[in-house]
Amino acid sequence: MSPITRNRVAVLHGVNFDVLERRDPSFYGGGSLSQLETQIGGWAHELGLEPIFFQTNHEGEFVEQLHQLPELADAAVLNAGAWTHYSRAIADALAITGLPTVEVHLSDVENRDDWRRISVFDGLVLAKISGQGAAGYREALALLAKELGAG
Ligand code: DQA
C-alpha cells in the first residue's frame, strides 16, 4: 500500500466540549476532552494520519477556524455539539472548506430529543456516526484515511 501523502486531519469540537467530564456520563462517557483527544491521536497515528485539535465555545471563532482549515488540514472530523442542530453559519463555513468531513456524536442523537435528530450538516459530510462513544472517532478516522489514501 502506498503511503498517504495528504494525511492531516482536523478534529474539531464545538460548544461545551471543554467541560466534557462534567456532562452526563450516560451520554458522554465521563472522560475529559483531553483524554478523548489522546485516544483519537493514538488511533490517527495508527492509521498514518496527523491530527490537529481545536475546540471553542464561540461560534464566530469556530467559523473562522473553518475558514482557515484548507491551509491546515486535508480532512476533518467534526463534532459541533448543539450547533449541529441549528447553526447554518457553521454549515455554510463547512461547505466553503471543501474538505472531506465525517460528523461524529458520542451519544445516539437519533434516539434522544427530537431536535437532536436534525443536523445542518446533512448533505455536506461523507458520513454521520453517532452513539458509539469514543469508538465513533476511530471509525471516522478510518473512513477519512481510506478517502485520502485513495486520492
Ligand atoms: C453531541 C450531541 C449533541 O446533541 C449535544 O448537543 C452535544 C454533544 C454528542 O457528541 O453526542 O453537545 O454532539
Side-chain angles (χ1 to χ4, degrees):
M1 204 170 75
S2 57
I4 302 174
T5 50
R6 294 185 308 127
N7 69 345
R8 300 167 304 166
V9 176
V11 180
L12 307 172
H13 284 101
V15 63
N16 290 317
F17 276 92
D18 56 325
V19 289
L20 187 59
E21 73 282 1
R22 289 162 54 191
R23 302 187 72 182
D24 187 337
S26 68
F27 290 123
Y28 303 118
S32 67
L33 180 61
S34 83
Q35 287 169 332
L36 180 62
E37 288 180 344
T38 300
Q39 221 171 358
I40 294 169
W43 290 325
H45 288 128
E46 279 169 23
L47 289 161
L49 298 171
E50 266 315 312
I52 59 164
F53 297 101
F54 180 77
Q55 188 276 331
T56 181
N57 291 323
H58 303 280
E59 188 178 9
E61 253 182 50
F62 204 85
V63 164
E64 284 171 1
Q65 179 71 11
L66 288 170
H67 290 172
Q68 287 174 32
L69 215 60
E71 290 144 45
L72 304 173
D74 305 300
V77 174
L78 174 67
N79 188 345
W83 289 330
T84 302
H85 313 301
Y86 66 86
S87 177
R88 299 283 172 193
I90 290 176
D92 281 350
L94 181 65
I96 294 167
T97 70
L99 297 178
T101 299
V102 176
E103 175 182 345
V104 174
H105 300 282
L106 289 164
S107 67
D108 183 2
V109 287
E110 307 304 331
N111 292 297
R112 294 181 62 189
D113 318 276
D114 283 349
W115 58 268
R116 292 185 204 271
R117 291 199 190 126
I118 295 162
S119 173
V120 294
F121 308 124
D122 269 2
L124 293 176
V125 293
L126 285 179
K128 174 178 170 179
I129 299 165
S130 73
Q132 295 185 35
Y137 291 85
R138 183 172 44 192
E139 191 180 325
L141 291 167
L143 284 173
L144 291 171
K146 210 169 158 196
E147 181 74 14
L148 294 173

